[in-house]
Amino acid sequence: MKTNITQLLPVLFGFFIMGFCDVVGISTSYVQHDFNLNETMAGFIPSMVFIWFLLLSLPSALLMNRIGRKNMVQLSNLITIAGMLIPFFSYTLVTCMAAFLLLGIGNTMLQVSLNPLLTNVVKGNALTSSLTAGQVIKAVSSFCGPFIAVFAVNCLGNWQYLFPIFAAITVMSALWLQFTTIHEEPAEKGSSIMASLKLLGDKRVCLLFLGIFFVVGVDVGTNIVAPKMLIERCAYAVQDAGYASSVYFVCRTAGAFIGTLFLTRVSGVTYFRINIIAAIASIAILFMAASAPVIMCAVGLIGFFCSSIFSIIYSEALKTNPEKENEISGLMIMGVFGGAVIPPAMGLCADAIGNQCGSLIIISVCLLYLGYCALRLKAKA
């Protein structure tokens, strides 16, 4: 199948909207500062975004069977736009939580539908590489978030202006996709939530589901802990500490871009194993880091080496049962709720220990599981 670039580009741009969920990382620091929240309470802010991946992924997959993948993407865009406008018009802790809630619902629907929609445009061996290219675009979006926040503070007077900026970009993405014709194969009918959950009985699907859970935990957790470590260990101000998140995302972008090139030539499973070993070594450096350059370097290395893992796991999962692509997509995206579980666990552990080493312990557990997953996983054609 020859790839149609006019169909591919608007789908790939949807990954930029997908990256908006990562704004919760820098937003957590601002909201924690603005409303004087402790670590445990702040840890629940990302949960408002990522809990919906647990609750809505499978229902979204089933709804997608009825209305189609493209229509599901457009519904997610509408919900995202609404969520991005709420805190701009009314900034309280309650409205912030409501905004993150809608952002999470929209992002859940987007991730469930956009990845399978890409399979309607790209087929065969190019799928893993294309999914990784999507992760490059998502990482660029995540990387831009802290800079947009700083721009909003310095030039517009308030960090909250990043929300209407994100809303406008989402409108552009929705319009571009709306005027693009994409052929979708009819979905299998008669699926149910219980039938989808039974797919977890397949040991390979379960292994990969937990892999998604923990790699998202690493992603969100590192994004959150990076600025906090600069604040704690180097006495950075909140607005300056946000640059640590940008370092993380620019390195993740570079890693995903390089992964896009390598994954056309190297087995995804082999690439997974090499990168996870390096990521585990990087977290060990972060435990001992005491200066800003070392902290940022270690954070960047984690972002670089973990950048392609999500797309490798996801593509391997889709290959497990091609007839159940929508349901498996829903299951894998359900695993993204690791982003709701890991940050509160980090906050509790950090409060118990009294510093951010508690957070690093939780992230290390996630990386160790991914190492186990990489060793157990066998490539599937």
Coordinates of all heavy atoms in Angstrom, one line a residue, residues 200-296:
L200 N -7.1 -9.7 27.8 CA -6.0 -9.7 28.8 C -5.6 -11.1 29.2 O -4.5 -11.3 29.9 CB -6.3 -8.8 30.0 CG -6.4 -7.3 29.8 CD1 -6.9 -6.6 31.0 CD2 -5.0 -6.8 29.4
G201 N -6.4 -12.1 28.9 CA -6.1 -13.4 29.2 C -4.9 -14.0 28.4 O -4.3 -14.9 28.8
D202 N -4.7 -13.3 27.3 CA -3.5 -13.6 26.5 C -2.3 -13.0 27.2 O -2.2 -11.8 27.4 CB -3.7 -13.0 25.1 CG -2.6 -13.3 24.1 OD1 -1.4 -13.3 24.5 OD2 -2.9 -13.5 22.9
K203 N -1.3 -13.9 27.5 CA -0.2 -13.5 28.3 C 0.6 -12.4 27.6 O 1.1 -11.4 28.3 CB 0.7 -14.7 28.6 CG 0.1 -15.7 29.5 CD 1.1 -16.8 29.8 CE 0.5 -17.8 30.8 NZ 1.5 -19.0 31.0
R204 N 0.7 -12.4 26.3 CA 1.4 -11.4 25.5 C 0.7 -10.0 25.6 O 1.3 -9.0 25.9 CB 1.5 -11.8 24.1 CG 2.3 -10.8 23.2 CD 2.3 -11.3 21.8 NE 2.9 -10.3 20.9 CZ 4.1 -10.1 20.6 NH1 5.0 -10.9 21.2 NH2 4.6 -9.2 19.8
V205 N -0.6 -10.1 25.5 CA -1.4 -8.8 25.6 C -1.3 -8.2 27.0 O -1.1 -7.0 27.2 CB -2.9 -9.1 25.2 CG1 -3.7 -7.8 25.5 CG2 -3.0 -9.5 23.8
C206 N -1.4 -9.1 28.0 CA -1.2 -8.6 29.4 C 0.1 -8.0 29.7 O 0.3 -7.0 30.3 CB -1.5 -9.8 30.4 SG -1.6 -9.3 32.1
L207 N 1.2 -8.7 29.2 CA 2.5 -8.2 29.3 C 2.7 -6.8 28.7 O 3.3 -5.9 29.3 CB 3.5 -9.2 28.7 CG 5.0 -8.8 28.7 CD1 5.6 -9.1 30.1 CD2 5.8 -9.6 27.7
L208 N 2.1 -6.6 27.5 CA 2.2 -5.3 26.9 C 1.3 -4.3 27.5 O 1.7 -3.1 27.5 CB 1.9 -5.5 25.4 CG 2.8 -6.4 24.6 CD1 2.3 -6.7 23.2 CD2 4.2 -5.8 24.5
F209 N 0.2 -4.7 28.0 CA -0.7 -3.7 28.7 C 0.0 -3.1 29.9 O 0.0 -1.9 30.1 CB -2.0 -4.5 29.1 CG -2.8 -3.7 30.1 CD1 -3.7 -2.7 29.6 CD2 -2.8 -4.0 31.4 CE1 -4.5 -1.9 30.5 CE2 -3.6 -3.2 32.3 CZ -4.4 -2.2 31.9
L210 N 0.6 -4.0 30.7 CA 1.4 -3.5 31.8 C 2.6 -2.6 31.4 O 3.0 -1.7 32.1 CB 1.8 -4.6 32.7 CG 0.7 -5.3 33.5 CD1 1.2 -6.6 34.2 CD2 0.0 -4.4 34.4
G211 N 3.2 -3.0 30.3 CA 4.3 -2.2 29.7 C 3.8 -0.8 29.4 O 4.5 0.2 29.8
I212 N 2.6 -0.6 28.8 CA 2.1 0.7 28.6 C 1.9 1.4 29.9 O 2.2 2.6 30.0 CB 0.8 0.6 27.8 CG1 1.0 0.1 26.4 CG2 0.1 2.0 27.8 CD1 1.7 1.1 25.4
F213 N 1.3 0.7 30.9 CA 1.0 1.3 32.2 C 2.3 1.9 32.8 O 2.3 3.1 33.2 CB 0.5 0.2 33.1 CG 0.2 0.7 34.5 CD1 -1.1 1.1 34.9 CD2 1.2 0.7 35.5 CE1 -1.4 1.5 36.2 CE2 0.9 1.1 36.8 CZ -0.3 1.5 37.1
F214 N 3.4 1.2 32.8 CA 4.6 1.6 33.4 C 5.4 2.6 32.6 O 6.1 3.5 33.1 CB 5.5 0.4 33.8 CG 4.9 -0.3 35.0 CD1 4.4 -1.6 34.9 CD2 4.9 0.3 36.3 CE1 3.9 -2.3 36.0 CE2 4.4 -0.4 37.4 CZ 3.9 -1.7 37.2
V215 N 5.4 2.5 31.2 CA 6.1 3.5 30.4 C 5.5 4.9 30.5 O 6.2 5.9 30.6 CB 6.3 3.0 29.0 CG1 5.0 3.2 28.2 CG2 7.4 3.8 28.3
V216 N 4.1 4.9 30.6 CA 3.5 6.2 30.8 C 3.7 6.7 32.2 O 3.9 7.9 32.4 CB 1.9 6.1 30.6 CG1 1.2 7.4 30.9 CG2 1.7 5.7 29.1
G217 N 3.8 5.8 33.2 CA 4.2 6.2 34.5 C 5.6 6.9 34.6 O 5.8 7.9 35.2
V218 N 6.5 6.3 33.8 CA 7.9 6.9 33.7 C 7.8 8.3 33.1 O 8.4 9.2 33.5 CB 8.8 6.0 32.9 CG1 10.1 6.7 32.7 CG2 9.1 4.7 33.7
D219 N 7.0 8.3 32.0 CA 6.9 9.6 31.2 C 6.4 10.7 32.1 O 6.9 11.8 32.2 CB 6.1 9.3 30.0 CG 6.1 10.5 29.0 OD1 7.1 11.2 28.9 OD2 5.1 10.7 28.4
V220 N 5.2 10.5 32.6 CA 4.5 11.5 33.4 C 5.3 11.8 34.7 O 5.5 12.9 35.1 CB 3.1 11.1 33.8 CG1 2.4 12.1 34.7 CG2 2.3 10.9 32.5
G221 N 5.8 10.7 35.3 CA 6.5 10.9 36.6 C 7.8 11.7 36.4 O 8.1 12.6 37.2
T222 N 8.6 11.4 35.3 CA 9.8 12.2 35.1 C 9.5 13.6 34.8 O 10.2 14.5 35.2 CB 10.6 11.5 34.0 OG1 10.8 10.1 34.3 CG2 12.0 12.2 33.8
N223 N 8.5 13.8 34.0 CA 8.0 15.2 33.6 C 7.7 16.0 34.9 O 8.0 17.2 35.0 CB 6.8 15.1 32.7 CG 6.3 16.4 32.2 OD1 7.0 17.4 32.3 ND2 5.0 16.4 31.8
I224 N 7.1 15.4 35.9 CA 6.7 16.1 37.1 C 7.8 16.2 38.0 O 8.0 17.3 38.6 CB 5.5 15.3 37.8 CG1 4.2 15.3 37.0 CG2 5.3 15.8 39.2 CD1 3.2 14.4 37.5
V225 N 8.7 15.2 38.2 CA 9.7 15.3 39.2 C 10.9 16.2 38.8 O 11.6 16.7 39.6 CB 10.3 13.9 39.5 CG1 11.3 13.4 38.5 CG2 10.9 13.9 40.9
A226 N 11.1 16.3 37.4 CA 12.2 17.1 36.9 C 12.3 18.5 37.5 O 13.3 19.0 38.1 CB 12.3 17.1 35.4
P227 N 11.2 19.4 37.3 CA 11.3 20.7 37.9 C 11.3 20.7 39.4 O 12.0 21.6 40.0 CB 10.0 21.4 37.4 CG 9.1 20.3 37.0 CD 10.0 19.1 36.6
K228 N 10.7 19.7 40.1 CA 10.7 19.7 41.5 C 12.1 19.4 42.1 O 12.5 19.9 43.2 CB 9.7 18.6 42.0 CG 8.3 18.9 41.8 CD 7.3 17.9 42.4 CE 5.9 18.3 42.2 NZ 5.0 17.3 42.9
M229 N 12.9 18.6 41.3 CA 14.3 18.4 41.8 C 15.1 19.6 41.7 O 16.0 19.9 42.6 CB 14.9 17.2 41.0 CG 14.3 15.9 41.2 SD 15.2 14.5 40.5 CE 16.7 14.6 41.5
L230 N 14.9 20.4 40.7 CA 15.6 21.7 40.6 C 15.2 22.7 41.7 O 16.0 23.4 42.2 CB 15.4 22.4 39.2 CG 16.0 21.7 38.0 CD1 15.7 22.5 36.7 CD2 17.5 21.6 38.2
I231 N 13.9 22.6 42.0 CA 13.4 23.5 43.1 C 14.0 23.0 44.5 O 14.5 23.8 45.3 CB 11.9 23.5 43.2 CG1 11.3 24.2 41.9 CG2 11.4 24.2 44.5 CD1 9.8 24.0 41.8
E232 N 14.0 21.7 44.7 CA 14.5 21.1 45.9 C 16.0 21.2 46.1 O 16.5 21.6 47.1 CB 14.0 19.7 46.0 CG 14.5 19.0 47.3 CD 14.0 17.5 47.3 OE1 12.8 17.3 47.7 OE2 14.8 16.6 46.9
R233 N 16.7 20.8 45.1 CA 18.2 20.6 45.2 C 19.0 21.8 44.8 O 20.1 21.9 45.2 CB 18.6 19.4 44.4 CG 18.0 18.1 44.9 CD 18.6 16.9 44.2 NE 18.0 15.6 44.6 CZ 18.3 14.4 44.2 NH1 19.3 14.3 43.3 NH2 17.7 13.3 44.6
C234 N 18.4 22.7 43.9 CA 19.2 23.8 43.4 C 18.5 25.1 43.6 O 19.0 26.2 43.1 CB 19.4 23.6 41.9 SG 20.1 22.0 41.4
A235 N 17.4 25.2 44.4 CA 16.7 26.4 44.8 C 16.2 27.2 43.6 O 16.3 28.4 43.7 CB 17.6 27.2 45.7
Y236 N 15.8 26.5 42.6 CA 15.2 27.2 41.4 C 13.8 27.8 41.8 O 13.1 27.2 42.6 CB 15.1 26.3 40.2 CG 16.3 26.2 39.4 CD1 17.6 26.0 39.9 CD2 16.2 26.3 38.0 CE1 18.7 26.0 39.1 CE2 17.3 26.3 37.2 CZ 18.6 26.1 37.7 OH 19.7 26.0 36.9
A237 N 13.5 28.9 41.1 CA 12.1 29.4 41.2 C 11.2 28.6 40.3 O 11.7 27.9 39.4 CB 12.1 30.9 40.7
V238 N 9.9 28.6 40.6 CA 9.0 27.7 39.8 C 9.0 28.0 38.3 O 9.1 27.0 37.5 CB 7.5 27.9 40.3 CG1 6.5 27.1 39.5 CG2 7.4 27.5 41.8
Q239 N 9.0 29.2 37.9 CA 9.0 29.5 36.5 C 10.3 29.1 35.8 O 10.3 28.8 34.6 CB 8.7 31.0 36.2 CG 9.8 32.0 36.8 CD 9.4 32.4 38.2 OE1 8.7 31.7 39.0 NE2 9.9 33.6 38.6
D240 N 11.4 29.1 36.5 CA 12.7 28.7 36.0 C 12.8 27.2 35.9 O 13.4 26.6 35.0 CB 13.9 29.3 36.7 CG 13.9 30.8 36.6 OD1 13.5 31.3 35.6 OD2 14.3 31.5 37.6
A241 N 12.3 26.5 36.9 CA 12.4 25.0 37.0 C 11.7 24.3 35.9 O 12.0 23.2 35.5 CB 11.8 24.6 38.4
G242 N 10.7 25.0 35.3 CA 10.0 24.4 34.2 C 10.8 24.0 33.0 O 10.5 23.2 32.2
Y243 N 12.0 24.6 32.9 CA 12.9 24.3 31.8 C 13.4 22.9 31.9 O 13.8 22.3 30.8 CB 14.1 25.3 31.8 CG 13.8 26.7 31.3 CD1 13.9 27.8 32.2 CD2 13.3 26.9 30.0 CE1 13.6 29.0 31.8 CE2 13.0 28.2 29.6 CZ 13.1 29.3 30.5 OH 12.8 30.5 30.1
A244 N 13.4 22.3 33.1 CA 13.8 20.9 33.2 C 12.8 20.0 32.4 O 13.2 19.0 31.7 CB 13.8 20.5 34.6
S245 N 11.5 20.3 32.4 CA 10.6 19.6 31.6 C 10.8 19.7 30.1 O 10.7 18.8 29.3 CB 9.1 20.0 31.9 OG 8.8 19.7 33.2
S246 N 11.2 20.9 29.7 CA 11.6 21.2 28.3 C 12.8 20.4 27.9 O 12.8 19.8 26.8 CB 11.8 22.6 28.0 OG 10.6 23.4 28.2
V247 N 13.8 20.2 28.8 CA 15.0 19.4 28.5 C 14.5 18.0 28.3 O 15.0 17.3 27.3 CB 16.0 19.5 29.6 CG1 17.1 18.5 29.4 CG2 16.6 20.9 29.6
Y248 N 13.6 17.5 29.1 CA 13.1 16.1 29.0 C 12.5 15.9 27.7 O 12.7 14.9 27.0 CB 12.2 15.9 30.2 CG 11.4 14.5 30.1 CD1 12.1 13.4 30.3 CD2 10.1 14.5 29.6 CE1 11.4 12.1 30.2 CE2 9.5 13.3 29.5 CZ 10.1 12.1 29.8 OH 9.5 10.9 29.7
F249 N 11.6 16.9 27.3 CA 10.8 16.7 26.1 C 11.7 16.9 24.8 O 11.4 16.2 23.8 CB 9.6 17.6 26.1 CG 8.5 17.2 27.0 CD1 8.1 18.0 28.0 CD2 8.0 15.9 26.9 CE1 7.1 17.6 28.9 CE2 7.0 15.5 27.8 CZ 6.6 16.3 28.8
V250 N 12.7 17.8 24.8 CA 13.5 17.9 23.6 C 14.3 16.7 23.4 O 14.6 16.2 22.3 CB 14.4 19.2 23.7 CG1 15.5 19.1 24.7 CG2 14.9 19.6 22.3
C251 N 14.8 16.1 24.5 CA 15.5 14.8 24.4 C 14.6 13.7 24.0 O 15.0 12.8 23.2 CB 16.2 14.5 25.7 SG 17.6 15.6 26.1
R252 N 13.4 13.7 24.5 CA 12.5 12.7 24.0 C 12.1 12.8 22.6 O 12.0 11.8 21.8 CB 11.2 12.8 24.9 CG 10.3 11.5 24.7 CD 9.1 11.6 25.6 NE 8.1 12.4 25.0 CZ 6.8 12.6 25.5 NH1 6.5 11.9 26.6 NH2 5.9 13.3 25.0
T253 N 12.0 14.1 22.1 CA 11.8 14.3 20.7 C 13.0 13.8 19.8 O 12.7 13.1 18.8 CB 11.6 15.9 20.5 OG1 10.6 16.4 21.3 CG2 11.3 16.1 19.0
A254 N 14.2 14.1 20.3 CA 15.4 13.6 19.5 C 15.4 12.1 19.5 O 15.7 11.5 18.5 CB 16.6 14.2 20.2
G255 N 15.1 11.5 20.7 CA 15.1 10.0 20.8 C 14.1 9.4 19.9 O 14.3 8.4 19.2
A256 N 12.9 10.0 19.8 CA 11.8 9.5 19.0 C 12.2 9.6 17.5 O 11.9 8.7 16.7 CB 10.5 10.2 19.3
F257 N 12.8 10.8 17.2 CA 13.2 11.0 15.8 C 14.2 9.9 15.3 O 14.1 9.3 14.3 CB 13.7 12.4 15.6 CG 14.2 12.7 14.2 CD1 13.3 12.9 13.2 CD2 15.6 12.7 13.9 CE1 13.8 13.2 11.9 CE2 16.1 12.9 12.6 CZ 15.2 13.2 11.6
I258 N 15.2 9.7 16.2 CA 16.2 8.7 15.9 C 15.6 7.3 15.8 O 15.9 6.5 15.0 CB 17.4 8.8 16.9 CG1 18.2 10.1 16.7 CG2 18.3 7.6 16.8 CD1 19.2 10.4 17.8
G259 N 14.7 7.1 16.8 CA 14.0 5.8 16.8 C 13.2 5.6 15.5 O 13.1 4.4 15.0
T260 N 12.6 6.6 14.9 CA 11.9 6.5 13.7 C 12.8 6.0 12.6 O 12.4 5.2 11.7 CB 11.3 7.9 13.2 OG1 10.4 8.4 14.3 CG2 10.5 7.8 12.0
L261 N 14.0 6.4 12.6 CA 15.0 6.0 11.5 C 15.5 4.6 11.8 O 15.5 3.8 10.9 CB 16.2 7.0 11.5 CG 15.9 8.5 11.2 CD1 17.1 9.3 11.3 CD2 15.2 8.6 9.9
F262 N 15.8 4.3 13.1 CA 16.3 3.0 13.4 C 15.3 1.9 13.3 O 15.6 0.7 12.9 CB 16.9 3.0 14.8 CG 18.4 3.4 14.9 CD1 18.7 4.7 15.2 CD2 19.4 2.5 14.7 CE1 20.0 5.1 15.3 CE2 20.7 2.9 14.7 CZ 21.0 4.2 15.0
L263 N 14.0 2.2 13.6 CA 13.0 1.1 13.6 C 12.6 0.6 12.2 O 11.9 -0.3 12.1 CB 11.8 1.6 14.4 CG 12.0 1.7 15.9 CD1 10.9 2.4 16.6 CD2 12.2 0.3 16.5
T264 N 13.1 1.3 11.2 CA 12.9 0.8 9.8 C 13.9 -0.2 9.5 O 13.8 -0.9 8.5 CB 12.9 1.9 8.8 OG1 14.2 2.6 8.8 CG2 11.8 3.0 9.1
R265 N 15.0 -0.4 10.3 CA 16.1 -1.2 10.0 C 16.4 -2.3 11.1 O 17.0 -3.3 10.9 CB 17.4 -0.4 9.8 CG 17.3 0.6 8.7 CD 18.5 1.5 8.6 NE 18.4 2.4 7.5 CZ 17.8 3.5 7.4 NH1 17.1 3.9 8.5 NH2 17.8 4.3 6.4
V266 N 15.9 -1.9 12.4 CA 16.3 -2.8 13.5 C 15.0 -3.3 14.1 O 13.9 -2.6 14.1 CB 17.0 -1.9 14.6 CG1 17.4 -2.8 15.8 CG2 18.3 -1.4 14.0
S267 N 15.0 -4.5 14.7 CA 13.8 -5.1 15.4 C 13.4 -4.2 16.5 O 14.3 -3.7 17.3 CB 14.2 -6.5 15.9 OG 13.3 -6.9 16.9
G268 N 12.1 -3.9 16.6 CA 11.6 -3.1 17.7 C 11.9 -3.6 19.1 O 12.3 -2.9 20.0
V269 N 11.9 -5.0 19.2 CA 12.1 -5.6 20.5 C 13.6 -5.4 20.9 O 13.9 -5.1 22.1 CB 11.8 -7.1 20.5 CG1 12.2 -7.8 21.7 CG2 10.3 -7.3 20.2
T270 N 14.5 -5.6 19.9 CA 15.9 -5.4 20.2 C 16.2 -3.9 20.6 O 16.9 -3.7 21.6 CB 16.8 -5.7 19.0 OG1 16.6 -7.1 18.6 CG2 18.2 -5.5 19.2
Y271 N 15.6 -3.0 19.9 CA 15.7 -1.6 20.2 C 15.2 -1.3 21.6 O 15.8 -0.5 22.4 CB 15.0 -0.8 19.2 CG 15.4 0.7 19.1 CD1 16.7 1.1 18.7 CD2 14.5 1.7 19.5 CE1 17.1 2.4 18.6 CE2 14.9 3.0 19.4 CZ 16.2 3.4 19.0 OH 16.5 4.7 18.9
F272 N 14.1 -1.9 22.0 CA 13.5 -1.8 23.3 C 14.5 -2.2 24.4 O 14.7 -1.5 25.4 CB 12.2 -2.6 23.3 CG 11.4 -2.6 24.6 CD1 11.7 -1.7 25.7 CD2 10.3 -3.4 24.8 CE1 10.9 -1.7 26.8 CE2 9.6 -3.4 25.9 CZ 9.9 -2.6 27.0
R273 N 15.1 -3.3 24.2 CA 16.0 -3.9 25.2 C 17.2 -3.0 25.4 O 17.6 -2.7 26.6 CB 16.5 -5.3 24.8 CG 15.4 -6.3 24.9 CD 15.8 -7.6 24.2 NE 14.7 -8.6 24.3 CZ 14.7 -9.8 23.7 NH1 15.7 -10.1 22.9 NH2 13.7 -10.6 23.8
I274 N 17.8 -2.5 24.3 CA 19.0 -1.6 24.4 C 18.6 -0.3 25.2 O 19.3 0.1 26.1 CB 19.5 -1.3 23.0 CG1 20.1 -2.5 22.4 CG2 20.6 -0.2 23.1 CD1 20.4 -2.4 20.9
N275 N 17.5 0.3 24.8 CA 17.1 1.6 25.4 C 16.7 1.5 26.9 O 17.0 2.4 27.7 CB 16.0 2.2 24.6 CG 16.5 2.9 23.3 OD1 16.9 4.0 23.3 ND2 16.6 2.1 22.2
I276 N 16.0 0.4 27.3 CA 15.6 0.3 28.7 C 16.8 0.1 29.6 O 16.8 0.6 30.7 CB 14.5 -0.8 28.8 CG1 13.8 -0.6 30.2 CG2 15.1 -2.2 28.7 CD1 13.1 0.7 30.4
I277 N 17.8 -0.6 29.2 CA 19.0 -0.8 30.0 C 19.6 0.6 30.2 O 20.0 0.9 31.3 CB 20.0 -1.8 29.3 CG1 19.4 -3.2 29.3 CG2 21.3 -1.7 30.0 CD1 20.2 -4.2 28.5
A278 N 19.7 1.4 29.2 CA 20.3 2.7 29.3 C 19.5 3.6 30.2 O 20.0 4.4 31.0 CB 20.5 3.3 27.9
A279 N 18.1 3.5 30.1 CA 17.2 4.3 30.9 C 17.4 4.0 32.4 O 17.4 4.9 33.3 CB 15.8 4.1 30.5
I280 N 17.6 2.7 32.7 CA 17.8 2.3 34.1 C 19.1 2.9 34.7 O 19.1 3.3 35.8 CB 17.7 0.7 34.2 CG1 16.3 0.2 33.9 CG2 18.2 0.3 35.6 CD1 16.2 -1.3 33.8
A281 N 20.1 2.9 33.8 CA 21.4 3.5 34.3 C 21.2 5.0 34.5 O 21.8 5.6 35.4 CB 22.4 3.2 33.2
S282 N 20.3 5.6 33.7 CA 20.1 7.1 33.8 C 19.4 7.4 35.1 O 19.7 8.5 35.7 CB 19.3 7.6 32.6 OG 20.0 7.3 31.4
I283 N 18.5 6.6 35.5 CA 17.7 6.9 36.8 C 18.7 6.8 38.0 O 18.5 7.5 39.0 CB 16.5 6.0 37.0 CG1 15.6 6.6 38.0 CG2 16.8 4.6 37.3 CD1 14.8 7.8 37.7
A284 N 19.7 5.9 37.9 CA 20.6 5.7 39.0 C 21.4 7.0 39.1 O 21.7 7.4 40.2 CB 21.5 4.5 38.7
I285 N 21.8 7.7 38.0 CA 22.5 8.9 38.1 C 21.7 10.0 38.8 O 22.2 10.8 39.6 CB 22.9 9.4 36.6 CG1 23.9 8.4 36.0 CG2 23.5 10.8 36.7 CD1 24.1 8.7 34.5
L286 N 20.4 10.0 38.5 CA 19.5 11.0 39.0 C 19.4 11.0 40.5 O 19.2 12.0 41.2 CB 18.1 10.9 38.4 CG 17.2 12.1 38.4 CD1 17.9 13.3 37.8 CD2 15.9 11.8 37.6
F287 N 19.5 9.8 41.1 CA 19.5 9.7 42.6 C 20.6 10.4 43.2 O 20.5 11.0 44.3 CB 19.6 8.2 43.0 CG 18.3 7.4 43.1 CD1 17.9 6.7 42.0 CD2 17.5 7.6 44.2 CE1 16.7 6.0 42.1 CE2 16.3 6.9 44.3 CZ 15.9 6.1 43.2
M288 N 21.8 10.5 42.5 CA 23.0 11.1 43.1 C 23.2 12.5 42.6 O 24.1 13.2 43.2 CB 24.2 10.2 42.8 CG 24.1 8.8 43.3 SD 25.5 7.8 42.8 CE 25.1 7.5 41.0
A289 N 22.4 13.0 41.7 CA 22.6 14.3 41.1 C 22.4 15.4 42.1 O 21.4 15.4 42.7 CB 21.8 14.5 39.8
A290 N 23.3 16.4 42.1 CA 23.2 17.5 43.1 C 23.2 18.8 42.4 O 23.0 19.9 43.0 CB 24.2 17.4 44.2
S291 N 23.6 18.9 41.1 CA 23.7 20.1 40.4 C 22.7 20.2 39.3 O 22.3 19.1 38.8 CB 25.1 20.4 39.9 OG 25.4 19.4 38.9
A292 N 22.4 21.4 38.8 CA 21.4 21.5 37.8 C 21.8 20.9 36.5 O 21.0 20.2 35.8 CB 21.0 23.0 37.6
P293 N 23.1 21.0 36.0 CA 23.5 20.4 34.8 C 23.3 18.8 34.8 O 22.9 18.2 33.8 CB 24.9 20.8 34.6 CG 25.0 22.1 35.3 CD 24.1 21.9 36.5
V294 N 23.7 18.2 35.9 CA 23.7 16.8 36.0 C 22.2 16.3 36.1 O 21.8 15.3 35.5 CB 24.4 16.3 37.3 CG1 24.3 14.8 37.4 CG2 25.9 16.7 37.2
I295 N 21.4 17.0 36.8 CA 19.9 16.7 36.9 C 19.3 16.8 35.5 O 18.6 15.8 35.1 CB 19.2 17.7 37.9 CG1 19.6 17.4 39.3 CG2 17.7 17.5 37.7 CD1 19.1 18.4 40.3
M296 N 19.6 17.9 34.8 CA 19.0 18.0 33.5 C 19.5 17.0 32.5 O 18.8 16.5 31.6 CB 19.2 19.4 32.9 CG 18.4 20.5 33.7 SD 18.5 22.1 32.8 CE 17.5 23.1 33.8

